[in-house]
Amino acid sequence: MCSSDLIGQVGDRQVDLVVIAGDVFDRAVAPNEAIAHFRSVLTRIVEAGAKVAAITGNHDGADRVGAYHDLLDASGVYLRGGYTGLGEVVTLEFADGPLDLVLLPFLDPQAAPDDLGSGEEADPALDAEDVVEGAYRRRMRRSHESVLRDAIELVVPQLGAGRSIAVSHAFVAGGQASDSERDLLVGGSAVVPAEVFAPFSYTALGHLHRPQDVGGPTVRYSGTPLRYSFSEDHPKSITIVDLAPDGTATVEHVPVPVGREVRTVTGSIDELLAGSAPGDDQCFARVILTDPGVVLDAKALLSQRWPGIVEIEQRPTGAV
């Protein structure tokens, strides 16, 4: 999906708010070309009449991306990274009423403020050693779930009686991963339950590349607009959410064009060359060869059918 398709949807559907649930970039120090393109897309979305809510993910350099958040707010672009704006509720006014917006970027537990989750103000009677010891114990107990719960606990008292949307970059339990995602944290401590988002009318999730609901239709990954591995052979889409003033959500999934398909095909060299399928000459292909021996000039032979072949793996039938 190219940016023109997205911006066309914004204008055609009179979208009020475009949500980007991270990652914004694919690395902590993004290339200049990517930064310039992101700026151009944001400008065009705002010119099309929508506001933008965007958060950083685990790939992003949060401090770099979110450095100018207070200046961007005035333009209608709400961009948060890391623990910037922790506990903040942004109330946006639209023609059909207000919307409470809560931005929850990827929150690395080891980067959390020492007093997060302490549940109390610092006690002036404690000496420095006790304060450090308490902060250390909290830090050792932290997981992605715990810091998310702490962040959400800060905002819940500020939510109005109407509608709210949370934007979060997280691995929610029950979500189906692909081969493309980078682990949020080592050791399995990154998984969070969907019920942590129960206070919100709708939660837009980032991190998993496959479009999917988790824990119900109001907690959803829209997925990536492009394919990043051969495991992403699923259809791509954008999610359109109509959020009524009382918080009732109507969700529509709109298929989007994403360029070349990806295919994984398996068989002997003779089997693969003998068969054909529509679109073979237009896709990116990964070929798994099952011949018992090495196939000479395999790529040259297979490229006649799959000009977009990018990977060949020898996996003889019966091999362990």
Side-chain angles (χ1 to χ4, degrees), residues 19-230:
V19 172
I20 304 169
D23 295 282
V24 175
F25 301 112
D26 67 347
R27 66 197 74 174
V29 181
N32 290 337
E33 295 83 354
I35 294 171
H37 184 63
F38 182 56
R39 182 185 186 280
S40 172
V41 170
L42 293 180
T43 300
R44 293 163 65 194
I45 291 174
V46 172
E47 289 174 347
K51 300 180 186 297
V52 180
I55 60 171
T56 56
N58 56 306
H59 288 201
D60 294 305
D63 292 340
R64 294 172 179 269
V65 177
Y68 304 102
H69 68 96
D70 48 349
L71 298 176
L72 287 173
D73 285 3
S75 71
V77 176
Y78 301 89
L79 178 59
R80 300 292 186 270
Y83 287 87
T84 300
L86 189 71
E88 174 188 29
V89 175
V90 178
T91 300
L92 305 178
E93 295 292 341
F94 296 109
D96 59 347
L99 168 70
D100 287 337
L101 174 66
V102 175
L103 299 173
L104 301 165
F106 169 61
L107 301 175
D108 185 342
Q110 296 307 310
D114 282 336
D115 60 348
L116 180 64
S118 64
E120 56 187 18
E121 297 292 330
D123 185 350
L126 293 176
D127 60 28
E129 184 176 344
D130 289 336
V131 171
V132 171
E133 178 64 23
Y136 175 77
R137 287 197 300 269
R138 287 194 298 275
R139 185 174 294 276
M140 293 303 295
R141 291 196 302 267
R142 281 180 180 143
S143 64
H144 196 209
E145 177 184 348
S146 73
V147 294
L148 256 182
R149 286 188 183 276
D150 290 339
I152 291 171
E153 184 177 334
L154 292 174
V155 303
V156 167
Q158 305 173 57
L159 297 176
R163 56 188 175 175
S164 61
I165 181 169
V167 186
S168 179
H169 194 88
F171 193 151
V172 178
Q176 184 177 357
S178 66
D179 296 337
S180 315
E181 297 92 3
R182 185 184 304 168
D183 288 344
L184 287 175
L185 298 169
V186 176
S189 61
V191 179
V192 302
E195 55 90 8
V196 303
F197 302 107
F200 306 107
S201 306
Y202 186 86
T203 299
L205 295 172
H207 183 58
L208 299 185
H209 292 193
R210 182 182 299 272
Q212 57 192 296
D213 299 337
V214 282
T218 59
V219 180
R220 178 170 175 80
Y221 290 97
S222 62
T224 55
L226 296 174
R227 296 185 173 104
Y228 290 91
S229 73
F230 282 99

Side-chain angles (χ1 to χ4, degrees), residues 264 266-267 286-293 311-320:
T264 298
T266 302
R286 174 177 63 177
V287 176
I288 299 174
L289 287 174
T290 59
D291 297 83
E311 182 180 332
I312 299 176
E313 178 184 346
Q314 294 278 161
R315 194 183 296 173
T317 300
V320 178

